[in-house]
Amino acid sequence: MSDQFVFAARGSTEAVEEGRALSPKFDADGLVTCVATDAASGDVLMVAHMNAEALAKTIETGEAWYFSRSRKALWRKGESSGHGQRVTEMRVDCDQDAVWIKVEQAGPGACHTGRRSCFYRAVPLGQKPGGSYTLEFRDADKTFDPAAVYAPKR
Amino acid sequence: MSDQFVFAARGSTEAVEEGRALSPKFDADGLVTCVATDAASGDVLMVAHMNAEALAKTIETGEAWYFSRSRKALWRKGESSGHGQRVTEMRVDCDQDAVWIKVEQAGPGACHTGRRSCFYRAVPLGQKPGGSYTLEFRDADKTFDPAAVYAPKR
């Protein structure tokens, strides 16, 4: 990690919750949780993670940058798919371990499965423990073909 | 953890992403991330975590249950404050490591600081790395007095 991407040290609970300094609570892996919602519809598009560099780049550029836990790599949303996210507003929560970005989603969707949102299945309520839980597809129409979008570039 | 709260084993990526079985990807601490949004306004109220039991109880009862990482304890939202959350819809994301619940928030707010939402500060965009980052309070009026709400019960 470059020393370039430094945030304020965390002070007292009062300072963290009521202060005007951004001092994120990065977890043991150096990440905060990021929720991206559609600036127009309010729907949650995706939940991902940011390390210090991704957070700093998102703030500076107004484009969403994330850190992939599986690939252990910084990535700009849309760098492969072309489906970037322009951030219209960023918020941080009380204890500063989560950020919420409202985004204008470029292209037909945010999800690598080819949907607008990653949350295309509902968990019907009232299901009891002890058995298996069933999902229902909802707003699940594919808006693009991921095989075409993520195909290796020649 | 009781054997009572068991979810389907995770299968192939195809099964996890395109299947109709709930098979959450709990992290090393046994948690999934949960985003709660206001069913009426769409605003993100809070980001928290659920273990298997919290997830099962939320599904069964339609009331939001979480797992506190700091207290290492299961809790029903509102058990101390009275500000519970009735879930109107639950969604799970593509890789099933995050859930989104739309909730009817009881009482004046979700945040322990006394606000409607935990996300009461904005991070102005365009700030450059290397210095300190400033926050702006937004929708930050206190809607209740946390000292009164969370006072020890006699």
Side-chain angles (χ1 to χ4, degrees), chain A residues 131-134, chain B residues 5-11 16 20-26 96:
Chain A
S132 59
Y133 295 86
T134 301
Chain B
F5 305 106
V6 171
F7 292 83
R10 288 172 65 84
V16 167
R20 292 173 188 273
L22 179 59
S23 51
K25 184 179 181 180
F26 294 106
Q96 302 203 28

Side-chain angles (χ1 to χ4, degrees), chain A residues 4-8 13 15-23 25 27 33 35 37 42-45 47 49 55-62 69 87-100 102 111-113 115 117-139 142, chain B residues 4-8 13 15-23 25 27 33 35 37 42-45 47 49 55-62 69 87-100 102 111-113 115 117-139 142:
Chain A
Q4 185 182 357
F5 305 107
V6 170
F7 292 84
T13 299
V16 167
E17 293 182 352
E18 301 294 337
R20 293 175 186 272
L22 179 59
S23 51
K25 185 179 180 179
D27 70 10
T33 302
V35 180
T37 63
D43 285 345
V44 177
L45 295 173
V47 171
H49 295 82
L55 180 58
K57 283 182 179 288
T58 302
I59 294 170
E60 181 175 9
T61 66
R69 293 185 298 179
V87 181
T88 62
E89 186 174 14
M90 177 185 282
R91 301 271 188 119
V92 65
D93 76 344
C94 45
D95 63 353
Q96 302 202 28
D97 67 354
V99 299
W100 167 23
K102 300 179 188 176
C111 184
H112 77 286
T113 67
R115 280 109 172 172
S117 161
C118 295
F119 292 86
Y120 50 84
R121 288 172 296 184
V123 186
L125 301 172
Q127 299 184 76
K128 294 192 185 308
S132 59
Y133 295 86
T134 301
L135 303 177
E136 287 178 3
F137 282 79
R138 202 166 295 172
D139 305 323
K142 295 212 179 187
Chain B
Q4 185 182 356
F5 305 106
V6 171
F7 292 83
T13 300
V16 167
E17 293 181 351
E18 301 295 337
R20 292 173 188 273
L22 179 59
S23 51
K25 184 179 181 180
D27 69 11
T33 302
V35 180
T37 62
D43 284 346
V44 178
L45 294 174
V47 171
H49 295 83
L55 181 58
K57 284 182 180 288
T58 302
I59 294 170
E60 182 176 9
T61 66
R69 294 185 297 180
V87 181
T88 62
E89 185 174 15
M90 178 185 282
R91 302 271 187 116
V92 65
D93 75 345
C94 46
D95 64 353
Q96 302 203 28
D97 67 353
V99 299
W100 166 23
K102 301 178 188 178
C111 184
H112 77 287
T113 66
R115 278 107 173 175
S117 160
C118 294
F119 292 86
Y120 50 83
R121 287 171 297 183
V123 186
L125 301 172
Q127 299 184 76
K128 294 191 185 309
S132 59
Y133 296 87
T134 302
L135 303 177
E136 288 178 3
F137 283 79
R138 202 166 294 172
D139 305 324
K142 296 212 178 187

Side-chain angles (χ1 to χ4, degrees), chain B residues 40-87:
Chain B
S41 70
D43 284 346
V44 178
L45 294 174
M46 56 189 282
V47 171
H49 295 83
M50 291 179 172
N51 65 357
E53 185 171 1
L55 181 58
K57 284 182 180 288
T58 302
I59 294 170
E60 182 176 9
T61 66
E63 295 286 326
W65 288 76
Y66 298 104
F67 186 84
S68 166
R69 294 185 297 180
S70 54
R71 293 185 289 113
K72 301 195 186 310
L74 185 76
W75 57 293
R76 184 179 61 75
K77 179 67 181 167
E79 66 186 12
S80 295
S81 64
H83 305 161
Q85 293 176 335
R86 197 179 75 80
V87 181

